[in-house]
Amino acid sequence: MKKIKTLASASAALLAAVSCLWAAPETAEPQKTAEPATFGEAYKLAQTLRGKGQKEEAAAMALKAAELATRPDDKATALWYRGDIYWNKNTRDLQEKYGLEALAVEGISPARRVFSVKDLLAKIYVEQGVGGLEKARRLVEAALAHPSMSNATYRIDISAALANVEFENFQVDDARARLAAFEGEGSLTSADKAQLLRARADIEKKVGDYPAACALLKRIYDDKAQQPKTRLDAVLGAIGLMRDDNKREEALAVARAFFDDSSVEVGGKHERLADTIVRTEVSLKRIDAARKAIAALAARKPADERGAAAIDRAVASLTYFVDFAEGKFEACRATILANPGKYRGTTETKDLSTVFFNRGEYAKAAEIGSLFWNKPSVPWGHDHFFRSMPVAYWRSGNPKGAAEFLRGQAETMTGVSEGRRLGFKMAAKFYENGSLLKGDARGMTSKVEPKVARDAFQEAAKQLVSIGKIEEPRMLYEMRKALFVPHRRNIAPVRYVGNAPTDVGSWKASGLATEKNRNVCDVKFGKQNAERLITDVAVARGDKVNASGEAEDDRPIAWFWVCYDEYGIHLMFEHYDPKFADVLLGRAGPIGYEMYFGVDELGPAFQFGINPSLKEFEYCPPWNSPHKYFRRLENYADFSTRPSDEGYATAMNISWALVYDRLPDNGSEWPFEMICWARNGGVTWGGTDIWQRSEWGHWRFEGMTPKVRSAIHRVLVYKALARYNAQKNFATGGAIGTWRDEELGDPAFYEQELKPLVEKLDAYAAEVKGEMGDALADRLFKEAVPLWYDFRYEADARRARYLERQLTEP
Amino acid sequence: MTTRAFPMLVAVLAALPALAQMPSPDEVKTVSGQTAAALKAVSLPRLKDHVGGTRNNTVARYNAVRVAQDLAGKDLPAGATFTWYAVPPLSNIQRLADQYPVDGKAAAPLRIVACRDEFEPASFQIYPFADAEKVVVKAGDLRAEGGAVIKADKVDIKVVKIWYQDGNGWYSYFNDTGLKLCPDLLLNDENMIRVDEKHKANFVRVNLKDKDEYIWITPPAEIDPGFNVAAEPVRDAPTLQPVSFKAGEFKQFMVTVRVDADAKPGLYRGEITISPESAPTANVPVVLRVLPFLLPQPKTYYDTNADFFAMLYCNPGYGTFYTASGNNAKEAEAKVYRKLKNQFDHNVTSPLYYGLWKGYSGLEGVERDLGIAKKIGMKLDPFFEAYSCVNGDKAGRYYEILRNGSIATKEFQRILGHGNIYPAGGEEPGPRTIVASRNGWRAAHELGNLVMCNGGDRRHYSGYADDFRVGGGFAEKDQADFMHRIQGKIGNYAGPHTGPENPDYMRRMHGMNLYKKDYDMMYNYGYFEGEWNDLRAYCYRITLVYQTRDGFIDTLPWEGVREGLDDIRYATLLKQLAERAIAEGRQKNVDKYYTGRKALQFLACLNEETCDLPEARLEMIRHIMAIDKVLGNGK
């Protein structure tokens, strides 16, 4: 027994030493001596280098430590550490190699051997499937065969590790058998038996056989030869499994029996068991039984002061728990207020305060909640709670309390930026004075960095929005906004061009696509880029986004030109791709685009994606139901792509028919945005994220004279008439043809509702000539085109009214 | 390229909100010039006064003249201070306060056609000629000739609140940094939300114990601390409260009639009275045709025996409500009930609790939640996403799934009375996770369960084990075909996510668009995942309803979803009857045969992406009635 203890302690000591080395502050500066002289120095240096991310240097230093080591275990530790530096899925082979080298060091202690074997199993072989399992088995077999490994504790330890690898490879029976085989060994100590049973129970738990696991744990806690703590841990483990298995009565019985078993006395036993009993009873809604269990715990108060205090704490805590579960919030409040020091900073105060807040009892919320914040160690991450506290004070008519709270927060809260602290003070000023003047806010931030002011304005504004204030937050928002580079909305003039270019070749030949005329996308995509402080170095320097990531490469990444003619809008966009040679060879994919344009500021917008290697839109989502005032883009646009200088150029044509009912006037501005998914991050013409409509630039239509407008009308008259005439063809489902059909249509409906309309539209059609003057084109456009072009919608609307009347008029 | 620092309004006719349905500047000019003629033709003094007062506002004058033209020859009381327009309730048209209803009919009755067991909407817009406060809007009973009555409490009226949504409002679910006015909320108390057009801001009323307070809910995202309406006492009134009218501003009302399953078929008539404090009352006639059919639960287009499911991902439930109510179990349960009832009444009949099963420690919660769902009558067979079976390549996780699944199956069997459950196979898992989940999915299959999992097309690495793939993005027929060919099912979400306010669009995309593309499920995200402040949305503003302390506020798009699912129910009825007629007609009754086939032909030719949905609904009804006639059911 003594020997075993010694071995166990040696093992623990070794592990402690290793972990101590491991835990040494890795960021500490290495000693200034160029060459470490001892194993310890080299090992520590290796850790430091690893902490700095200098992996190769760290590995070399670990090797050096191994060379300097005078004891086998130190050498093995250094070699193991060398491997551990490569603990990464891509360098497992190195980790394994050096781990095995550590194991191969002559004369290592059994503890070191066990550590190395378990480490290889847990970090490498368990991840390698069947191959890993085989390696693990061979390694364990070899380790067990080593003369130094006769001790059962080590053998069980190492076998349990292997059983885990077997389990992870779904070899559950092998794992079970491997551990069960130890049962026959007569030399097992009580500790060995407990270790073995725990390992076996662990396998059963993982397999999901909780009763089997409980039975194994029962053998530990029933064994009076086991240490009391070992028995208690086994009991608690079994109770946890029983509860998870919905055997709460069984769990209670075991807990109560052990609670009353005076043969097992170990510190914390009654508190821990009572905790389990009370929580289980509460889960069964047996509040009285839970309170009885608390009383039983209180009666167990031992003579020693420390033990008695522990029991007192547990009783109070459980009483609070039961009160809270039962909804006795006033009792909880009384408990806390009776001893506020004890509860200061505990989550109980936060939770109870939240309950009162959500019940509209703001004074109580503030009273209890104030105990939570005033503890410097409270981690940040309770923003909502902390922001609700001033609200609670405010709504309970105590603005001074809110101010004090915020000033306290500013002083003691950990993990908060300087700006936010200043924001707390700024909001406190509001609560103190009943207002926050611009001069106050400016004065408080006059001597701080802009980024501190930015955070201060933001925090204070949030605080004041929370209590329903409007003017002060708006003022703070504007002050904050003034710190940033203003957002710009570009304007691209869209001019009328007779015989406008429609493909890349004609664009290139047109003389329109000049560097001077182009509209460049030079805004970095991403919301995080939206807010650039005026004082940022990059802003001050005028840095531009670039395609290759090379500082000297300041060529624009993407740009476009746009014009229109009587047929529609014509757009050409082009990009510079540093990998374009690879793209042409198929070794890299092309750079694509996402674009939008809107019809007027508030009208519908079209979104589309273009991949230059595709002949159709990569996507063109249906964001609206097609109807009288909206048509889908994909039916009204085409594009073609050609390689250009160092990237693709794409020409796109959008027919006026898409928007025939809302043609632009001279000076009309339509929102437009282009995002180019460049290799070094996306760039946009103006927006910072997808669908940031309020940031898009504008196309401004110029040269839309009455003459030009008439020319557009003329084209649309022909197109609309063709579309209307197609409605007459019953063979292809035209509405006019179909409604007249006796079998599939409704001639009565046709005669009553459609025929007059058709006659009117036919009369207009008779006016259409090969050469139409502007006046005629304008009149037909106004009077006939809407019905010609979307005859079907009109027919549908008439049909709906007709049927509705039939059904609702007797 | 020129640039400027601040956005500018569109130059031309800056007063015109540039919306799809807004008439051209030319038309505005033309109509405004017809003022004198319009005034001559109308006899209402208050309207004449009102038109006269619009000379400085082009749009207001245009609207007033159009209204005057519409009312010429109509018989309205001389002292009338307003009129109304019957308008399609779920239209593509944004009904803003200064938008003349191009598709409306002045002073016309509301016409409603409904089956039994259906909610059916109608709508009207008021055009006031004078300001009015405390106007009471109230529905009366609807009565049929034979004496049957649909009581007034089955006629729900809500005011459609126009408020600020982000710059993508109406058109997409994405977040933007700007705001614009958009019709959206259906409120009983229009004063619950205050809209400040001068500052472009929404405010919500918080009911504190001693006073009401309006909280700014549209601050820029950077300074919005997040407003928790669940914890803050925000409430709508239980019934429609008096409203105010402002001269020249259109105000829309949504009328929803509940036709119970036992309602008698026939033609019902009634009216909605609109009573200003000091002006004549107007009665808006309501005509309701109750069809003799019980609207069936929706089935798929490809198989009239296969259920079409509807559920919404994956809103908070009891736990969140409990905390927000100040740990009040009763209040939290009531809210869960209201949430599910609201969904059920909108045809979303399958509840979704992603990973409801949390082990025995959560059993009480499972029983409570499912008890509420059962009480409402929600569809729990099959039961979806009952537990999680994601991963499983590691033995520990595999056995955990096996154990959890086995217990969950047993417990759900006990609670629900069946073992037809689908565990969740993951949360948009990527290819690696799917492969790593093969064992987990296998475990579910070993337990006799089926796997449901959302995410993209995974036919190349997972199809065989996918029982119900819920695909993200816009629905595609070929994806449905693939799943059905391998004897699986398919649902859809994000095609689009919730968020767009356009009710016609939402109706289409949650209804016929999925149905005709052979989908088995609408499973969208989400119910109220978005917040009250669009500007605060991280990326998507995904919401169909707005949460209050004790309930949920409906919206136009949410009504659109209900109608979309009703469209599927009508199509289901049509198909069921058509199949019967065809089967019977094959026995030498060609009329029956043809009538059934014509109905199917109609449905087959219906373009789910472009059709006029109200017309399609009425056409379906026509076919249903025609088949019913040839089947002899009407006799």
Side-chain angles (χ1 to χ4, degrees):
Chain A
M1 180 73 179
K2 193 178 177 185
K3 188 183 171 190
I4 298 304
K5 268 192 171 176
T6 310
L7 279 168
S9 335
S11 172
L14 178 110
L15 290 172
V18 168
S19 65
C20 175
L21 287 168
W22 177 268
E26 299 195 355
T27 51
E29 283 298 311
Q31 290 183 354
K32 286 183 180 172
T33 47
E35 275 296 305
T38 64
F39 159 76
E41 286 173 12
Y43 193 89
K44 210 163 196 172
L45 195 51
Q47 288 180 310
T48 304
L49 291 165
R50 186 185 189 183
K52 289 179 175 176
Q54 295 170 251
K55 195 184 267 190
E56 294 306 325
E57 291 81 351
M61 193 51 65
L63 183 60
K64 179 80 181 170
E67 287 163 6
L68 290 169
T70 54
R71 295 187 306 152
D73 275 14
D74 286 348
K75 184 173 184 177
T77 299
L79 290 171
W80 161 80
Y81 190 65
R82 186 186 181 200
D84 203 61
I85 288 166
Y86 293 103
W87 186 11
N88 178 295
K89 66 179 178 183
N90 298 321
T91 49
R92 288 271 155 76
D93 52 340
L94 289 175
Q95 187 189 6
E96 181 184 6
K97 182 181 167 201
Y98 300 136
L100 288 171
E101 279 180 15
L103 203 50
V105 173
E106 282 292 326
I108 57 171
S109 67
R112 179 69 242 176
R113 186 176 302 282
V114 169
F115 177 86
S116 284
V117 169
K118 283 171 67 179
D119 195 64
L120 283 162
L121 262 55
K123 289 181 183 165
I124 300 176
Y125 298 144
V126 75
E127 301 282 343
Q128 292 181 340
V130 178
L133 175 60
E134 287 313 309
K135 284 185 190 175
R137 280 176 171 155
R138 283 199 297 274
L139 189 69
V140 168
E141 199 176 316
L144 290 175
H146 197 274
S148 69
M149 293 290 291
S150 59
N151 175 273
T153 306
Y154 292 142
R155 289 158 57 80
I156 292 170
D157 202 6
I158 216 167
S159 299
L162 178 57
N164 186 53
V165 179
E166 287 172 328
F167 169 80
E168 290 298 346
N169 280 279
F170 296 90
Q171 307 292 315
V172 177
D173 288 342
D174 288 356
R176 282 176 171 144
R178 180 170 305 285
L179 294 173
F182 281 94
E183 291 273 4
E185 289 199 14
S187 63
L188 299 184
T189 64
S190 291
D192 291 339
K193 284 178 188 166
Q195 185 191 9
L196 181 62
L197 288 167
R198 271 197 303 268
R200 292 184 62 194
D202 187 48
I203 295 284
E204 298 307 334
K205 181 190 168 190
K206 287 196 288 195
V207 170
D209 191 344
Y210 284 19
C214 285
L216 290 160
L217 292 172
K218 187 172 190 298
R219 285 175 57 191
I220 301 175
Y221 64 73
D222 280 350
D223 182 355
K224 292 193 167 51
Q226 295 291 348
Q227 293 292 318
K229 184 171 182 315
T230 305
R231 294 179 66 193
L232 177 62
D233 289 345
V235 158
L236 291 168
I239 288 170
L241 291 175
M242 288 171 198
R243 287 178 53 173
D244 286 350
D245 223 11
N246 207 26
K247 292 173 179 165
R248 288 179 283 184
E249 300 294 356
E250 214 172 292
L252 280 171
V254 172
R256 288 212 174 90
F258 220 69
F259 186 92
D260 294 332
D261 186 348
S262 56
S263 72
V264 189
E265 287 306 333
V266 55
K269 178 188 112 171
H270 291 109
E271 297 94 301
R272 293 170 75 183
L273 288 167
D275 189 85
T276 288
I277 293 166
V278 169
R279 287 175 195 278
T280 307
E281 293 290 14
V282 167
S283 77
L284 289 163
K285 299 199 180 307
R286 297 194 301 223
I287 300 296
D288 287 347
R291 291 198 188 279
K292 270 185 196 165
I294 296 172
L297 175 64
R300 287 283 175 176
K301 195 182 280 191
D304 71 288
E305 203 174 308
R306 210 170 137 197
I311 294 281
D312 278 348
R313 275 198 304 277
V315 167
S317 170
L318 287 171
T319 303
Y320 186 94
F321 169 78
V322 175
D323 284 344
F324 196 86
E326 213 183 348
K328 292 187 170 173
F329 302 122
E330 286 301 338
C332 292
R333 176 170 164 252
T335 303
I336 289 177
L337 293 179
N339 194 352
K342 186 177 139 192
Y343 283 93
R344 192 177 296 282
T346 61
T347 52
E348 279 88 348
T349 56
K350 180 174 77 80
D351 294 344
L352 187 61
S353 172
T354 303
V355 168
F356 283 128
F357 186 92
N358 290 345
R359 289 178 168 235
E361 299 187 49
Y362 299 115
K364 289 174 189 170
E367 171 190 54
I368 299 297
S370 66
L371 296 170
F372 181 60
W373 69 273
N374 194 13
K375 185 174 179 183
S377 62
V378 171
W380 194 250
H382 300 281
D383 275 36
H384 184 73
F385 171 76
F386 288 116
R387 230 170 246 126
S388 70
M389 282 297 293
V391 180
Y393 280 111
W394 174 257
R395 287 189 182 163
S396 53
N398 183 7
K400 197 172 159 234
E404 280 173 16
F405 176 86
L406 285 162
R407 289 208 180 275
Q409 244 184 312
E411 292 305 319
T412 60
M413 193 60 63
T414 55
V416 187
S417 71
E418 188 189 341
R420 290 189 71 177
R421 285 178 198 283
L422 192 54
F424 296 151
K425 290 178 188 168
M426 210 177 271
K429 204 166 187 81
F430 168 85
Y431 286 114
E432 284 156 358
N433 300 341
S435 65
L436 181 68
L437 302 174
K438 196 169 186 176
D440 294 335
R442 193 179 286 139
M444 292 177 81
T445 51
S446 61
K447 290 179 183 165
V448 299
E449 291 287 316
K451 66 178 181 185
V452 175
R454 171 196 69 191
D455 293 351
F457 294 144
Q458 182 171 26
E459 179 60 41
K462 282 185 177 182
Q463 291 283 349
L464 300 182
V465 167
S466 298
I467 56 164
K469 292 290 146 194
I470 302 152
E471 296 309 323
E472 289 86 353
R474 275 203 185 111
M475 173 193 82
L476 292 165
Y477 177 72
E478 291 303 325
M479 292 176 80
R480 182 178 184 274
K481 204 169 148 189
L483 297 170
F484 294 95
V485 176
H487 178 71
R488 81 174 187 224
R489 291 189 77 172
N490 295 316
I491 296 177
V494 188
R495 300 193 174 100
Y496 175 79
V497 173
N499 195 23
T502 56
D503 57 24
V504 173
S506 56
W507 266 102
K508 293 278 182 185
S510 69
L512 295 169
T514 65
E515 199 169 311
K516 190 180 162 203
N517 289 343
R518 68 186 178 184
N519 301 277
V520 176
C521 295
D522 57 4
V523 176
K524 205 166 172 55
F525 178 83
K527 271 183 183 166
Q528 69 280 11
N529 302 305
E531 296 197 327
R532 298 196 302 162
L533 286 168
I534 288 168
T535 52
D536 278 356
V537 178
V539 172
R541 221 169 33 214
D543 284 2
K544 291 178 178 166
V545 291
N546 65 60
S548 64
E550 302 295 330
E552 64 275 12
D553 184 357
D554 62 353
R555 278 180 287 181
I557 298 168
W559 53 91
F560 69 90
W561 296 272
V562 58
C563 66
Y564 73 94
D565 64 7
E566 55 269 47
Y567 293 97
I569 301 166
H570 306 282
L571 179 69
M572 184 167 86
F573 39 94
E574 194 168 15
H575 62 248
Y576 155 54
D577 182 355
K579 289 197 169 179
F580 194 55
D582 285 342
V583 172
L584 291 174
L585 293 170
R587 297 175 68 198
I591 288 172
Y593 304 89
E594 177 155 318
M595 297 193 207
Y596 312 82
F597 72 93
V599 182
D600 293 320
E601 194 63 18
L602 298 173
F606 303 97
Q607 176 194 20
F608 52 100
I610 286 184
N611 176 338
S613 67
L614 303 176
K615 289 191 170 20
E616 293 180 345
F617 288 117
E618 189 169 23
Y619 50 87
C620 190
W623 281 117
N624 208 341
S625 290
H627 58 93
K628 200 172 170 183
Y629 306 104
F630 177 82
R631 285 150 290 278
R632 285 188 178 153
L633 177 67
E634 67 266 38
N635 302 321
Y636 294 87
D638 65 80
F639 65 89
S640 54
T641 299
R642 297 300 303 159
S644 186
D645 299 334
E646 286 183 84
Y648 279 117
T650 303
M652 181 173 175
N653 307 298
I654 302 162
S655 167
W656 285 127
L658 175 72
V659 290
Y660 75 84
D661 53 324
R662 277 162 299 134
L663 295 174
D665 288 302
N666 197 38
S668 290
E669 293 185 352
W670 286 10
F672 172 76
E673 177 60 294
M674 174 168 137
I675 305 168
C676 175
W677 303 116
R679 298 193 190 282
N680 197 30
V683 289
T684 78
W685 192 39
T688 50
D689 205 342
I690 55 172
W691 274 105
Q692 292 294 290
R693 188 176 175 139
S694 300
E695 297 177 350
W696 298 346
H698 286 105
W699 286 339
R700 180 193 283 155
F701 291 91
E702 297 180 358
M704 189 69 83
T705 61
K707 196 82 191 155
V708 169
R709 196 58 187 268
S710 296
I712 295 172
H713 291 170
R714 192 175 294 109
V715 172
L716 288 170
V717 164
Y718 291 125
K719 285 190 176 182
L721 180 57
R723 213 167 130 104
Y724 166 69
N725 284 333
Q727 296 293 335
K728 294 182 175 171
N729 187 348
F730 81 96
T732 54
I736 296 169
T738 301
W739 284 123
R740 294 169 71 172
D741 186 271
E742 283 194 357
E743 283 291 339
L744 291 167
D746 184 345
F749 162 69
Y750 178 79
E751 287 295 318
Q752 186 179 321
E753 297 291 333
L754 292 188
K755 194 176 171 190
L757 177 65
V758 168
E759 285 170 355
K760 183 178 159 191
L761 294 178
D762 283 350
Y764 282 127
E767 295 187 59
V768 175
K769 300 165 188 159
E771 294 292 328
M772 269 190 294
D774 290 352
L776 179 59
D778 291 347
R779 184 168 61 78
L780 289 176
F781 174 78
K782 187 178 173 188
E783 295 174 10
V785 164
L787 289 166
W788 279 343
Y789 203 87
D790 284 322
F791 178 85
R792 217 208 62 201
Y793 291 125
E794 181 61 25
D796 285 349
R798 290 178 183 225
R799 177 67 175 167
R801 285 197 295 271
Y802 177 82
L803 289 175
E804 196 175 68
R805 278 200 307 274
Q806 285 198 329
L807 287 161
T808 56
E809 287 175 2
Chain B
M1 182 171 77
T2 56
T3 65
R4 62 188 174 202
F6 299 102
M8 243 171 62
L9 291 176
V10 178
V12 177
L13 275 173
L16 285 178
L19 294 167
Q21 70 277 12
M22 198 61 212
S24 67
D26 283 351
E27 192 191 338
V28 172
K29 202 174 154 190
T30 309
V31 172
S32 300
Q34 296 164 352
T35 308
L39 289 179
K40 203 173 169 186
V42 73
S43 60
L44 299 168
R46 303 301 293 270
L47 177 57
K48 285 175 187 276
D49 291 349
H50 171 65
V51 175
T54 60
R55 61 179 61 87
N56 296 325
N57 184 325
T58 315
V59 173
R61 168 151 294 215
Y62 168 82
N63 289 338
V65 172
R66 287 293 303 263
V67 172
Q69 288 172 340
D70 292 339
L71 293 182
K74 300 259 181 194
D75 186 22
L76 290 178
T81 56
F82 64 92
T83 189
W84 76 92
Y85 282 78
V87 294
L90 305 170
S91 160
N92 285 296
I93 288 173
Q94 288 187 66
R95 303 194 188 284
L96 294 173
D98 60 355
Q99 296 284 298
Y100 170 80
V102 289
D103 56 348
K105 200 154 186 201
L110 305 187
R111 297 177 188 276
I112 306 166
V113 181
C115 273
R116 292 186 284 125
D117 194 21
E118 187 189 4
F119 290 90
E120 188 61 23
S123 184
F124 62 95
Q125 274 185 287
I126 295 293
Y127 183 79
F129 321 139
D131 292 354
E133 296 295 325
K134 295 182 184 170
V135 183
V136 176
V137 180
K138 203 174 170 189
D141 293 345
L142 302 176
R143 296 178 183 281
E145 272 187 7
V149 178
I150 290 177
K151 302 292 282 181
D153 63 3
K154 301 283 181 186
V155 184
D156 179 65
I157 308 176
K158 296 237 174 349
V159 62
V160 181
K161 187 77 181 181
I162 297 165
W163 68 335
Y164 282 102
Q165 293 294 80
D166 85 12
N168 293 317
W170 201 259
Y171 297 113
S172 94
Y173 54 70
F174 282 94
N175 164 246
D176 177 39
T177 53
L179 290 168
K180 72 174 190 190
L181 287 170
C182 203
D184 188 17
L185 303 174
L186 305 183
L187 296 180
N188 283 321
D189 182 354
E190 64 175 353
N191 295 317
M192 183 194 152
I193 299 289
R194 215 179 73 201
V195 177
D196 175 354
E197 292 191 40
K198 187 179 164 199
H199 293 102
K200 275 196 170 185
N202 295 334
F203 298 84
V204 68
R205 188 182 54 210
V206 177
N207 310 114
L208 301 178
K209 276 182 182 158
D210 51 348
K211 59 172 178 174
D212 288 345
E213 205 173 73
Y214 278 92
I215 300 282
W216 183 23
I217 48 171
T218 46
E222 296 89 335
I223 62 165
D224 187 348
F227 178 64
N228 184 353
V229 286
E232 303 279 1
V234 171
R235 289 184 181 87
D236 190 15
T239 54
L240 185 67
Q241 300 300 295
V243 295
S244 62
F245 291 163
K246 197 167 173 203
E249 290 190 2
F250 289 98
K251 178 164 279 185
Q252 188 187 359
F253 292 83
M254 181 67 82
V255 180
T256 307
V257 179
R258 166 65 190 168
V259 179
D260 288 331
D262 59 358
K264 285 197 175 158
L267 192 64
Y268 292 72
R269 292 176 185 280
E271 53 198 23
I272 293 168
T273 56
I274 302 169
S275 314
E277 259 188 330
S278 51
T281 291
N283 297 318
V284 178
V286 179
V287 187
L288 165 69
R289 164 69 67 186
V290 175
L291 299 167
F293 312 102
L294 194 64
L295 206 53
Q297 286 306 301
K299 304 287 179 183
T300 64
Y301 182 46
Y302 69 91
D303 180 355
T304 43
N305 292 314
D307 289 339
F308 182 93
F309 303 97
M311 58 169 56
L312 286 167
Y313 188 95
C314 181
N315 34 77
Y318 180 84
T320 308
F321 298 159
Y322 178 73
T323 306
S325 66
N327 295 23
N328 184 326
K330 207 171 159 188
E331 205 178 300
E333 278 186 37
K335 195 161 175 184
V336 170
Y337 179 89
R338 285 189 199 106
K339 182 185 95 170
L340 292 184
K341 184 76 170 82
N342 182 265
Q343 293 189 356
F344 184 80
D345 285 348
H346 285 78
N347 287 322
V348 175
T349 53
S350 294
L352 177 57
Y353 320 83
Y354 182 85
L356 179 62
W357 183 256
K358 300 276 190 297
Y360 275 120
S361 62
L363 182 59
E364 189 189 331
V366 168
E367 291 187 289
R368 177 197 57 233
D369 286 349
L370 294 181
I372 295 170
K374 271 191 200 174
K375 194 171 156 191
I376 290 165
M378 295 202 85
K379 196 176 183 63
L380 296 166
D381 182 5
F383 184 57
F384 294 109
E385 304 207 342
Y387 64 91
S388 168
C389 62
V390 68
N391 289 318
D393 58 338
K394 306 279 188 218
R397 177 63 185 146
Y398 168 76
Y399 286 111
E400 187 187 347
I401 292 168
L402 213 50
R403 177 174 183 277
N404 272 342
S406 139
I407 296 170
T409 304
K410 187 181 82 183
E411 292 296 337
F412 283 125
Q413 172 82 50
R414 177 179 64 77
I415 298 166
L416 301 172
H418 67 83
N420 188 14
I421 66 174
Y422 285 74
E427 176 55 36
E428 293 188 336
R432 284 176 197 280
T433 306
I434 289 281
V435 171
S437 295
R438 283 176 177 167
N439 277 340
W441 292 19
R442 187 181 184 92
H445 286 122
E446 283 167 357
L447 292 167
N449 298 325
L450 298 169
V451 175
M452 178 184 206
C453 184
N454 54 26
D457 185 1
R458 44 185 177 254
R459 68 183 68 186
H460 299 297
Y461 49 91
S462 169
Y464 69 96
D466 248 334
D467 299 298
F468 214 134
R469 182 172 81 75
V470 185
F474 291 95
E476 293 175 47
K477 174 85 167 63
D478 82 295
Q479 304 244 352
D481 288 346
F482 168 75
M483 285 309 295
H484 294 147
R485 281 183 190 130
I486 62 167
Q487 296 193 17
K489 289 179 185 289
I490 187 165
N492 175 263
Y493 67 102
H497 282 300
T498 63
E501 287 80 359
N502 180 342
D504 182 88
Y505 178 59
M506 295 300 272
R507 173 181 181 176
R508 183 183 308 280
M509 302 311 275
H510 291 82
M512 292 307 274
N513 187 55
L514 296 180
Y515 178 75
K516 283 291 306 286
K517 289 187 167 69
D518 280 337
Y519 275 63
D520 298 89
M521 175 184 279
M522 184 284 281
Y523 166 110
N524 212 359
Y525 179 50
Y527 181 53
F528 60 86
E529 249 65 24
E531 303 200 31
W532 282 66
N533 185 5
D534 270 5
L535 299 179
R536 196 177 140 80
Y538 166 66
C539 185
Y540 308 147
R541 25 186 226 103
I542 36 182
T543 206
L544 282 168
V545 297
Y546 289 84
Q547 193 189 171
T548 65
R549 171 73 182 221
D550 56 4
F552 305 90
I553 290 176
D554 293 342
T555 61
L556 284 176
W558 184 216
E559 301 311 295
V561 171
R562 169 155 62 195
E563 281 303 287
L565 292 162
D566 271 347
D567 286 338
I568 299 178
R569 294 173 71 190
Y570 273 96
T572 299
L573 178 60
L574 180 150
K575 277 204 76 178
Q576 287 171 342
L577 290 173
E579 285 172 2
R580 222 181 99 197
I582 291 165
E584 290 181 17
R586 290 278 288 180
Q587 312 304 318
K588 296 186 179 170
N589 186 333
V590 178
D591 280 345
K592 267 190 196 178
Y593 182 66
Y594 277 2
T595 306
R597 292 203 64 200
K598 279 178 188 172
L600 294 186
Q601 182 176 347
F602 160 76
L603 203 52
C605 288
L606 190 71
N607 184 330
E608 69 276 9
E609 293 188 7
T610 62
C611 70
D612 178 304
L613 290 167
E615 195 260 344
R617 166 76 70 84
L618 288 161
E619 210 65 66
M620 283 196 281
I621 290 170
R622 183 179 74 86
H623 280 288
I624 287 165
M625 292 175 78
I627 301 170
D628 191 59
K629 195 173 168 191
V630 295
L631 286 174
N633 293 343
K635 287 177 187 170

